[in-house]
Amino acid sequence: MLLWFLPLFLILIMIGLPVVFALLASPFALIMLEGDNRNVVAGLYRNLYNGMDSFPLMALPFFMLAGEIMNRGGITLRLVEFSQAFMGHLRGGLAHVNILSSMLFAGLSGSAVADTSALGSTLIPAMEKNGYTRKFAAAITAASSVIGPIIPPSGIMIIYAYVMGESVASLFLAGIVPGIMVGAGLMVMVRLMADRYDLPKAERIVTKNQDITQVEYWVSFVLLRINVGGLLLAIYSGLSARVGLATINEAGDKVHNLNIWIVFLALLVAAHFLLMGYRGRVSHDFRMICKKAIAPLQTPIIILGGILVGVFTPTEASAIAVAYALLVSFFVLRSMKLRDLGEVLTKSALATSAVLLLVGAAVAFKTVVSLSYAPQILSDYILSLSENPLILLFLINILLFIVGMFLDAGPAIIILGPILGPIFVDLGVHPVHFAIIMSVNLTVGLATPPMGLVLFVASTVSGEKVETIAKAILPFLAVEILVIFLITYIPAISMTVPYLAGFLGCGPEVGFSACISPAPGIN
């Protein structure tokens, strides 16, 4: 009888019942029909509460709050101006600006819906005014918004890590290259479409008479030199052993011949002269636009840098991100007032409560999944289709793509992750690799007709019909599907960064290929 929980769940979704109630109603009804109604309501409530009562999940409300503070503090406009200054000269400039803005905004919010809403309200009218059709502007906004949950921080990766017991940091790092690939692929498609659809000609857009406070000027001045100096230090650290400036001891640790802090100070000086040399080649307004974007763009650097160095965990990083967002918005940019904080907290609390209720309900739903033996039955069925992992990965991508058309990424991960993850780990797919395959696939589903959530958000923002946007988005979906298959069959795309950062748990004696594609049965 319990095997009917999934058909019943789908029926409840199709008749319009909200997902959270469908997740709770289907196991409740079937357990009652089984006659095992002892403490049914108490059991479901307990699972619902336990599903939300988790320390790793605290990162979700903090990241949402940080994104909301940044958005309210006028960060969106600064990112758009920064993107226009860099990408506006390309053919189809504003479409490229839209994509680059989504990539930058992804490092602040980690939400596709927030991306579509915040950037769409700014860029869709601007693109239409510049000569783009409204359906094209809405389609490229929806298509690029799926980058939000791929480039860290990512809400759905936090959920996956919580459900499957994986490292949040490793998933964050594994999402960097796939997210950049999606953005680059969309830009290539825009360029291919530019001549055919007569997209507006290139025009570099640099807002004139830029104004910046002294505090923001000097904060940006210092941060930019620290960033460039840190990049030079990373290059030095990577090359030091090869040029004889460092040695590898018996424990496998790198020992530098020179004091690393002295090297960093020297590189800071070098960074200053590099930037001063570049300063004379660009206009004053261009430099001011770049300076105004420096402080907001430190958010992903702080998050990933702190995690990589080991200063804080991903959950602690989310709290640091909120503190930094408040510091920047109130004291550096001075774009928020104390009276704005109440509305920001309310909006982020409502958004967080909706996500956490879904997570809690899905955990209760997962309990029924385990009781029904559905994982074992599905596992036997999948393995009976083929013994070739490559064919099975192709089939599972098709399944995830179809699921993503109808179900939001969070509930889909919680329901299908515990079923599908162990199957492919036993077939030799690294757990982090499968996590990225699943996360990216279901994220693209947010922009896939007929039920893609960001399509409806883009429709609301633009005033265009969902059907019209769905037709215009198809070329961009083709690019995103291609990226999904590339990261599926070339593990190095997503696994190289976490491997180099040491987050895959492989010892120095384990080679790269063995680490990212372990033998069957080895995690």
Side-chain angles (χ1 to χ4, degrees), residues 46-379:
R46 185 166 54 251
N47 283 320
L48 176 68
Y49 177 78
N50 290 339
M52 295 183 287
D53 185 21
S54 168
F55 179 75
L57 282 181
M58 289 179 63
L60 279 174
F62 278 120
F63 278 131
M64 287 185 173
L65 178 57
E68 190 63 40
I69 293 170
M70 287 286 190
N71 190 30
R72 184 57 181 262
I75 304 303
T76 304
L77 182 59
R78 289 169 179 260
L79 295 182
V80 171
E81 288 182 345
F82 178 75
S83 301
Q84 286 176 334
F86 270 90
M87 306 293 293
H89 64 285
L90 301 175
R91 183 68 187 269
L94 276 181
H96 292 291
V97 167
N98 198 320
I99 298 166
L100 180 59
S101 298
S102 292
M103 296 172 70
L104 298 176
F105 197 79
L108 306 181
S109 71
S111 167
V113 173
D115 187 313
T116 307
S117 178
L119 295 177
S121 59
T122 301
L123 284 172
I124 291 176
M127 291 179 71
E128 190 176 7
K129 183 179 179 181
N130 201 245
Y132 295 83
T133 62
R134 187 184 303 178
K135 66 178 181 180
F136 180 88
I140 192 62
T141 301
S144 62
S145 69
V146 303
I147 302 172
I150 302 175
I151 294 178
S154 168
I156 64 170
M157 289 183 188
I158 293 171
I159 294 173
Y160 189 99
Y162 163 67
V163 173
M164 301 299 292
E166 296 298 330
S167 163
V168 175
S170 62
L171 298 191
F172 277 9
L173 294 174
I176 294 174
V177 176
I180 294 173
M181 285 182 64
V182 172
L186 292 176
M187 289 181 182
V188 171
M189 178 56 70
V190 168
R191 184 61 191 90
L192 294 175
M193 298 172 68
D195 295 328
R196 180 176 178 181
Y197 294 96
D198 194 27
L199 296 183
K201 292 183 179 181
E203 181 183 359
R204 185 183 292 276
I205 304 172
V206 179
T207 307
K208 302 297 182 182
N209 301 320
Q210 289 289 322
D211 187 26
I212 187 171
T213 65
Q214 284 296 312
V215 173
E216 186 178 357
Y217 177 89
W218 286 109
V219 167
S220 301
F221 182 92
V222 173
L223 287 176
L224 187 57
R225 279 145 184 81
I226 291 175
N227 288 340
V228 176
L231 179 61
L232 294 175
L233 182 65
I235 296 172
Y236 166 84
S237 180
L239 298 177
S240 57
R242 297 185 180 183
V243 298
L245 294 174
T247 56
I248 306 298
N249 61 20
E250 295 180 358
D253 297 325
K254 184 180 292 185
V255 180
H256 292 277
N257 298 338
L258 301 175
N259 185 291
I260 199 68
W261 287 107
I262 295 177
V263 173
F264 181 57
L265 289 174
L267 292 175
L268 278 180
V269 175
H272 173 73
F273 284 107
L274 280 174
L275 291 170
M276 293 301 290
Y278 180 73
R279 177 176 180 169
R281 303 180 184 180
V282 296
S283 68
H284 171 78
D285 290 319
F286 183 85
R287 285 190 288 109
M288 291 302 104
I289 286 176
C290 293
K291 285 185 179 295
K292 291 172 72 173
I294 292 298
L297 291 178
Q298 297 304 301
T299 307
I301 296 174
I302 291 172
I303 293 170
L304 291 177
I307 293 172
L308 284 173
V309 175
V311 177
F312 37 70
T313 66
T315 305
E316 294 165 346
S318 63
I320 296 295
V322 172
Y324 179 75
L326 289 171
L327 179 67
V328 169
S329 297
F330 277 101
F331 301 107
V332 178
L333 307 185
R334 297 179 183 176
S335 52
M336 275 187 67
K337 305 293 183 183
L338 195 59
R339 62 175 178 269
D340 299 327
L341 202 54
E343 184 180 349
V344 167
L345 291 170
T346 302
K347 290 182 68 174
S348 61
L350 289 173
T352 300
S353 61
V355 174
L356 291 181
L357 275 174
L358 276 173
V359 172
V363 169
F365 188 87
K366 190 180 83 170
T367 304
V368 180
V369 172
S370 60
L371 291 174
S372 67
Y373 298 102
Q376 293 87 340
I377 295 171
L378 185 59
S379 175

